[in-house]
Amino acid sequence: MNTFELIVPCHFGLEAVMKKEILDLGYEVSQVEDGRVTFIGDAEAICRANIFLRTTERVLLKVGSFHAETFEDLFQGTRAIPWEEYLPKDAKFWVAKASSIKSKLFSPSDIQSIMKKAMVERMKKAYGIEWFPENGASFPLRVFLHKDTVTVALDTTGESLHKRGYRTLTSKAPITETLAAALIMLTPWKSDRILVDPFCGSGTFPIEAAMIAANMAPGMNREFLSEDWKHLIPRKCWYDAMDEANDLVDLSVQTDIQGYDIDGDIVRAARANAKAAGVDELIHFQQRSVSDLSHPKKYGFLITNPPYGERIEDKKNLPELYKTIGERFAELDSWSAYIITAYEDTERYFGRKADKNRKIYNGMMKTYFYQFLGPKPPRKREDRREER
């Protein structure tokens, strides 16, 4: 089976989480750059990456890379790519997105139209026809220009991977499923530990945590564009990957995952989303204000995305809100808190300097992932026995 270079984009600042996911799937990482990781894999890897990876938006199949400072360079470089090895003669193909950083070519619309012309010219010669019906499977391209190097890739995913299929109802400022999963994976949380989100909104943090706990692949309940690429990816690869995902699910796992929100309608939406995800039995949702936050047990995790004043009129409430979060957290025994927010006075009003602070771009918004670390729980007797 042929091997490919596969590119998986991720949020800036979370490349290490993405790399670990790929290594855990058993593939070789060939490059780590800002906002993306490249690895080597075959057709089966395309299927498994789409179904199993929690922290990427899509899986891209790299088809070529070349230097281009002029539109003529772009045309010739694109035409040199062996498109006939990837696109059947009835393929529907277009440049879905072109981005340019520190490059002489920067107009997305010009890049898109010139590359499309070059692809047609190549395929005319390869297939010996002058006109392409484009009524077959879809092959959208994503193109990145960085310092005049053009990287060209086919999008195997289609609709973004953060759309797991469970979130039909959302709150005002939802965090994406991929970012929520990545942030949880940045923490030492495991399924046998308590997790509470006091601003759960549509339930994304608790639902992603429950899916991780149950070993439920995020792409199990959706479709992918490249399922129609039968000449590149045998159907058996998809069937095998989905069978693997189904075999790994364990809904019998014992969890203490809780989501609170002050809005009762939002809590009902979160419950509906959890049910759609198949993890409603693993999460307890409740209408509750953050001022009522409490838990009798030790060594829990607070992982949350509180409001941070997207609207001017909301900003005046932030000092009191973050002060309340800090006060309630201080009453929890030996807990850790992980807070993603764009509010730059978080530490001041929370009442404690973060042990770690990671800058993460949520789309175009600069946010901070504040990490207030509690003590580690004592190791279990079974663990100590195994070491003897």
Side-chain angles (χ1 to χ4, degrees), residues 213-242:
N215 215 8
M216 183 181 287
M220 284 180 63
N221 298 312
R222 53 160 291 165
E223 296 177 340
F224 307 97
L225 197 66
S226 54
E227 288 180 53
D228 292 329
W229 300 1
K230 299 180 182 67
H231 64 298
L232 283 178
I233 308 173
R235 291 297 296 175
K236 187 177 185 300
C237 291
W238 289 107
Y239 296 142
D240 288 348
M242 199 59 76

Side-chain angles (χ1 to χ4, degrees), residues 15-85:
E15 296 83 4
V17 181
M18 183 80 266
K19 179 181 177 181
K20 184 177 186 304
E21 273 207 280
I22 293 163
L23 293 174
D24 287 348
L25 271 184
Y27 298 110
E28 175 195 344
V29 171
S30 57
Q31 192 172 16
V32 179
E33 303 166 87
D34 286 346
R36 63 180 180 176
V37 179
T38 302
F39 69 102
I40 309 300
D42 55 14
E44 184 184 67
I46 295 172
C47 306
R48 295 182 73 233
N50 273 297
I51 291 168
F52 285 100
L53 292 180
R54 299 182 189 278
T55 64
T56 186
E57 296 291 323
R58 57 190 70 252
V59 179
L60 305 174
L61 193 168
K62 182 178 174 181
V63 295
S65 181
F66 55 88
H67 188 83
E69 297 185 26
T70 67
F71 285 122
E72 180 62 20
D73 293 340
L74 182 68
F75 183 90
Q76 296 299 340
T78 304
R79 190 168 66 172
I81 294 171
W83 293 106
E84 65 279 4
E85 293 180 10

Side-chain angles (χ1 to χ4, degrees), residues 50-219:
N50 273 297
I51 291 168
F52 285 100
L53 292 180
R54 299 182 189 278
T55 64
T56 186
E57 296 291 323
R58 57 190 70 252
V59 179
L60 305 174
L61 193 168
K62 182 178 174 181
V63 295
S65 181
F66 55 88
H67 188 83
E69 297 185 26
T70 67
F71 285 122
E72 180 62 20
D73 293 340
L74 182 68
F75 183 90
Q76 296 299 340
T78 304
R79 190 168 66 172
I81 294 171
W83 293 106
E84 65 279 4
E85 293 180 10
Y86 301 99
L87 309 183
K89 64 177 67 174
D90 66 347
K92 179 182 179 183
F93 58 98
W94 72 101
V95 181
K97 186 174 181 181
S99 61
S100 178
I101 300 172
K102 298 178 182 175
S103 297
K104 294 178 180 64
L105 303 178
F106 56 83
S107 166
S109 58
D110 289 335
I111 292 167
Q112 288 167 309
S113 62
I114 286 167
M115 291 187 72
K116 170 79 177 195
K117 287 175 187 172
M119 292 170 72
V120 169
E121 286 302 309
R122 170 81 187 208
M123 290 176 67
K124 276 183 183 178
K125 187 173 181 182
Y127 286 116
I129 55 177
E130 288 295 311
W131 180 79
F132 296 90
E134 297 200 45
N135 58 2
S138 293
F139 292 81
L141 265 79
R142 297 210 161 218
V143 181
F144 312 95
L145 283 79
H146 183 245
K147 294 181 179 178
D148 301 320
T149 296
V150 185
T151 302
V152 189
L154 290 166
D155 179 6
T156 74
T157 301
E159 196 168 37
S160 172
L161 288 175
H162 81 264
K163 297 187 177 179
R164 317 283 207 219
Y166 67 74
R167 199 167 72 175
T168 55
L169 302 161
T170 62
S171 53
K172 286 180 186 173
I175 190 168
T176 65
E177 294 87 332
T178 47
L179 179 54
L183 294 178
I184 293 167
M185 292 163 73
L186 261 183
T187 78
W189 177 79
K190 295 288 184 288
S191 59
D192 62 346
R193 304 280 294 275
I194 303 155
L195 187 152
V196 174
D197 180 358
F199 300 94
C200 73
S202 52
T204 311
F205 270 129
I207 292 170
E208 289 296 319
M211 291 175 71
I212 291 169
N215 215 8
M216 183 181 287

